[in-house]
Structures are given as structure tokens and as C-alpha cells.
Amino acid sequence: MAGLARASCEREATGSGLKPLDVDEFRATAHRMVDFIADYYRDIETFPVRSQVKPGYLKQLLPETAPEDPEGLDDVLTDVQCNIIPGLTHWQSPNFFAYFPSNSSTAGFLGEMLSGGLNVNGFSWINSPAATELEVIVLDWLGKLLKLPEEFLSSGEGGGVIQGTASEAVLVSILAAKNHVLEMSLKKGLSKWSILSTLTVYTSDQAHSSVEKACTIAGIDPQNLRVLPANGSTNYALPPEIFSKALADDVAAGLLPFFLCATVGTTSSTAVDPILALGTIAKEYGLWFHVDAAYAGSACICPEYRHHLDGVELADSFSMNAHKWLLTNFECAALWVKNSNLLVTALSTQAEYLRNKASEMRMVVDFKDWQIPLGRRFRSLKLWMILRLYGASGLRAYIRNHIEIAKHLEDLIRADDRFEILAPRTFALVCFRLKPLVGDLDNGYRSNAELQEAVNSSGSIFFTHTVLSGVYTLRIAVGAPLTEMRHVDKAWEVIKEHAESLQLKR
Ligand SMILES: *Cc1c(COP(=O)(O)O)cnc(C)c1O
């Protein structure tokens, strides 16, 4: 399959029909698929980073109905090359700086391949004991790399579980917290309905949108979601005084505060909430304390960044996405809880068709009771692969290299007085903008949006934006596995060139 990038887009019907799982066919076709993917990575820098297609492009290219007779793998791969790849934004491109990274790696892919290849469904221990037990073990391993307190490990009441995404991690945490507070209140003789309308959640306006979505799904009254202001004066971290004032006001108003979500590494600017101070207040009021470190959690395996998690010992749940910046192919969101019984009480189901001796004897973990769906993939294989094939030292070096590259970009930006940095660079995200041009009446909003669009539509790099304190802010997130110093140097040249031509047009 070498040279697929140059393959012709003509198709010929060559199918003779694959058998469902014939070993020889499996071996041959899977080898070809690996070659196809390897060629994709070989050629990845030749594609525009952000897909340039228009909405609905694919409908024009594919038939309206599924084929009646089998087609050949060659034809399908030709379609992938000619029709699907142009519709991809290349997240693994070294020139991808948008959002946060969503890493793949050789080890991550090998784990993914093994997981997909074995394709067991490990919702209960009995369904594949290894799937459950390996997950328990690798989340203990990762928890120890993060120096999480003992209570989050499987030796006691706590433990880790792999969720699909950070959004699911915060949702199941809210559901466990809500169930717990309801049970406690019922014991005090209060009625369920009177409590439900008083349940109150706290987070900052820099927290991820998944917190609000989790509240919606969990049935929290939208009026009882406190999205507290975290502005530029604290570098977008939530001030503890604002949290404690909101709590006191709500308690005085007869509400029942029950959940706080703090963020280590916010999505807009990687701000770090003061989790020790916030957690201390949350504990005084008996709240469930969730710490979302979806992006920045990966950096905390390095001792020099671990201090950002000081205070996590006060948390009830903590999550980070290994699929963002820790080389683990999507998806793999790790969630640790201190008291897994509270998750299980909230989420367990006892259908007759799922009953088995190991579960009834309470000798095992059944991860179906720690998550929303029943079925689950054997995702710990990916994490196990990356932890073993890169080792903690390899992973730390990987993170540190990206942070060095981001620092270098920050220096380049600071050295150019047409630009300015808009938030501290704590990890590998740089927030900046082109200073407002002469004649800008909107504080640089349009000129920066135009600059961004001009660069992105050139296809040479892809980056996204946010708004901080009302200011249009460009974000460059370094963290794709192939990114090197030279890619960032080139990115900076491209941004400067487009900024110059924008200035000339004025
Ligand atoms: C990316 C991100 C999320 C959401 O991640 P998903 O896994 O896609 O749900 C949540 N919180 C923070 C801080 C993030 O950066």
C-alpha cells in the first residue's frame, strides 16, 4: 500500500466478500490497514491541518445506499484516501495547536488495536476478569505517578475507573454526590422533593462546559448552579472568598450546597484553582469536592508540576484525561474516587440476567456500577501499554519537551511588541493576541479573528481562540506527539506574515 497518498481515486469492484473472522484474511487485511495508517503518518504534514471541505461535501461523493454485494478493501481504502482524508482535521499533525491535544502514539495505538482485536465487554468482573483487574492495577499505577493520596487507590474504599471522557467523570461524580446527599437528608426525615429544588452546585466561569451539562442531566435546577467569577486579577483562578461568600449566602437562603467542581488547568487559559483553600471550605460545608484536571493532570506526573495538585487530598473525586496529553489514544479519561460505594449506590443495577456468583459474594469490582453505560471496552490495555512502553521517565520527558517548546514560543511572542501575552503560561498553552491595530474600534476583536482565520484557512497550522475578560484571545496549545521546536518556529513565522499583510491592508 506504499504511496497511497498518490493513489488514483478510481474504483473497481473487486470484492469477493470477507468472511466474518477468518484468521488468514484477518492477518492479511489488518497488516494492510497498519501499512495504510503508517503511510498516513508519513504523509501527515502534506495535508492542510484544518480540513478545507464545505458542509455536506461527503454526500456528493458517496452513493446513496449501501452496496448490495460486497466490495473490496482496496476500494474502501481508495475512498478513505480520496474522500475521507480531505474531510479530516489532522489532530496528530505537528502543526496542530488547536483546543487541547488529543494524542496518539505507537504504544497507544497498539493498546487500542489489542483492545479492538480482543473486543471483550468487561462490564462485570466475570465477563473478563483481566479487563477489570488490569484497570484497577493501571489506575493505581497512574494514581501513584500523580502522587494521589492513598485513599484514591484500590487498597481501601476508593479506586480508579476509566470513563470515556472528563464530561462523564464529572457527571457520575455529581450523580454519586446527589444520591448521597439525598440519602442523608431522607435519614433526617426531610422529603425528597423539598430537597431536590435546593441542591446547589458551585464552579467557576472558567470551568469546562461539561459541568453545566452534568447539572442539566443530573436534574439540578439551573438557578442553583453558581458559576462564580474568576477574572484576570487572579489569573482566572477562582478566589476562595467568592466561593465562601456564595456558600454562606445560599445557606442563609435555605439552599443545600452539595457539590464543588474546581479545575486544575482550565480549558481557556490553563488557570489553576486554589484547590487546597477551596477544598478546605467545601469540607467545612460538607460538599462533595471534584477536581477536574482533564488537560493539566498529565503534567502533574512531573515532580515540578505536582504542586498544582496540592489539596487533592481534600477531594472526593479527581479526573484527568490520559487521552489528551499522555500519549493514550482517545478515549481514556481516568477518574478516581475516595469512596467507590457512593458511586455504586448511585449507579448500580441488579438485572436478573446479569447476576453471577462473584458479584453476589461482593468479592469483585463490577465497573458497570461506576459508569453510565452498561458495556465497556478494555481500555486499560492502552494505558498499560503506554505506561510500560514509555515508562514514567519517557512520559515525563515527553511532557517537559512540550512545555519547553511552549516556553520558547512565549519568548518569541514577548520579544515582538506588536503582540502581547494575555495569561500566564503555566503548562504548554500560550494565550496571546495581536495588539489592536490603528483604527480598531473593538479592542482588537476583529483583527485577531481575521488573523486566526487567515492562518487557519492557509492550512499550514491550526489553532483556536477563547475570550478572556472580553478580549479575543489566540491560543496555541503545544502537545501533538510529532511537534518539535522547528514547527513552532514555523508557526510563529506564519502568524507574523499574516499579521503583517493584515496591517498592510489597513
Ligand atoms: C477537555 C476538557 C474537558 C472535557 O473533556 P472530555 O473528555 O472531552 O469530556 C473537561 N474539563 C477540562 C478542564 C478540559 O480541558
Side-chain angles (χ1 to χ4, degrees), residues 125 132-133 356-366:
W125 177 86
T132 296
E133 296 196 12
N356 67 87
K357 202 164 131 205
S359 299
E360 310 231 315
M361 314 253 309
R362 294 179 152 264
M363 292 156 53
V364 294
V365 167
D366 289 330

Side-chain angles (χ1 to χ4, degrees), residues 100-101 164-170 206-211 261-268 292-296 319 321 323-324 330-333 475:
F100 279 140
T165 62
S167 307
E168 290 164 68
V170 68
Q206 300 298 307
H208 192 262
S209 56
S210 53
V211 180
C261 177
T263 312
V264 173
T266 60
T267 313
S268 273
D292 173 5
Y295 161 76
S319 76
N321 284 354
H323 65 237
K324 273 186 171 158
F330 192 74
E331 60 212 313
C332 186
R475 289 167 84 263

Side-chain angles (χ1 to χ4, degrees), residues 346-396:
L347 300 175
S348 74
T349 48
Q350 306 299 340
E352 179 59 33
Y353 45 77
L354 301 178
R355 288 181 59 181
N356 67 87
K357 202 164 131 205
S359 299
E360 310 231 315
M361 314 253 309
R362 294 179 152 264
M363 292 156 53
V364 294
V365 167
D366 289 330
F367 276 130
K368 72 179 176 58
D369 299 335
W370 297 46
Q371 63 174 20
I372 295 156
L374 174 73
R376 64 201 320 276
R377 303 178 59 223
F378 194 167
R379 287 181 290 221
S380 54
L381 286 170
K382 291 186 281 194
L383 204 45
W384 194 45
M385 275 306 167
I386 72 125
L387 291 172
R388 293 185 64 185
L389 297 184
Y390 299 119
S393 62
L395 295 172
R396 290 190 193 108

Side-chain angles (χ1 to χ4, degrees), residues 163 165-176 208-215 259-261 288 290 292 317 319 335:
Q163 305 282 332
T165 62
S167 307
E168 290 164 68
V170 68
L171 174 57
V172 299
S173 302
I174 286 197
L175 292 172
H208 192 262
S209 56
S210 53
V211 180
E212 186 182 344
K213 193 188 263 195
C215 288
F259 192 88
L260 165 68
C261 177
W288 181 294
H290 179 73
D292 173 5
S317 48
S319 76
L335 168 70

Side-chain angles (χ1 to χ4, degrees), residues 146-310:
L146 290 162
K147 303 236 176 320
L148 293 185
E150 183 83 34
E151 297 133 284
F152 282 115
L153 306 182
S154 67
S155 40
E157 299 281 282
V161 57
I162 299 177
Q163 305 282 332
T165 62
S167 307
E168 290 164 68
V170 68
L171 174 57
V172 299
S173 302
I174 286 197
L175 292 172
K178 178 185 166 194
N179 190 66
H180 181 57
V181 72
L182 281 176
E183 281 188 348
M184 304 290 283
S185 306
L186 292 180
K187 276 189 199 145
K188 289 184 204 152
L190 298 166
S191 93
K192 183 174 173 183
W193 297 111
S194 67
I195 301 158
L196 274 177
S197 62
T198 65
L199 293 178
T200 306
V201 171
Y202 301 81
T203 195
S204 94
D205 59 6
Q206 300 298 307
H208 192 262
S209 56
S210 53
V211 180
E212 186 182 344
K213 193 188 263 195
C215 288
T216 307
I217 299 171
I220 304 305
D221 184 339
Q223 298 200 352
N224 294 348
L225 169 60
R226 300 283 171 270
V227 179
L228 305 170
N231 59 35
S233 66
T234 54
N235 292 325
Y236 306 100
L238 176 60
E241 317 79 70
I242 291 191
F243 172 50
S244 58
K245 167 95 171 52
L247 270 173
D249 289 352
D250 287 336
V251 170
L255 295 175
L256 182 50
F258 84 105
F259 192 88
L260 165 68
C261 177
T263 312
V264 173
T266 60
T267 313
S268 273
S269 71
T270 67
V272 177
D273 285 336
I275 57 175
L276 184 57
L278 293 170
T280 305
I281 301 164
K283 289 299 101 181
E284 269 168 39
Y285 284 79
L287 274 67
W288 181 294
F289 180 31
H290 179 73
V291 175
D292 173 5
Y295 161 76
S298 296
C300 299
I301 65 167
C302 302
E304 67 274 31
Y305 295 100
R306 172 57 178 78
H307 66 93
H308 293 298
L309 295 187
D310 288 352

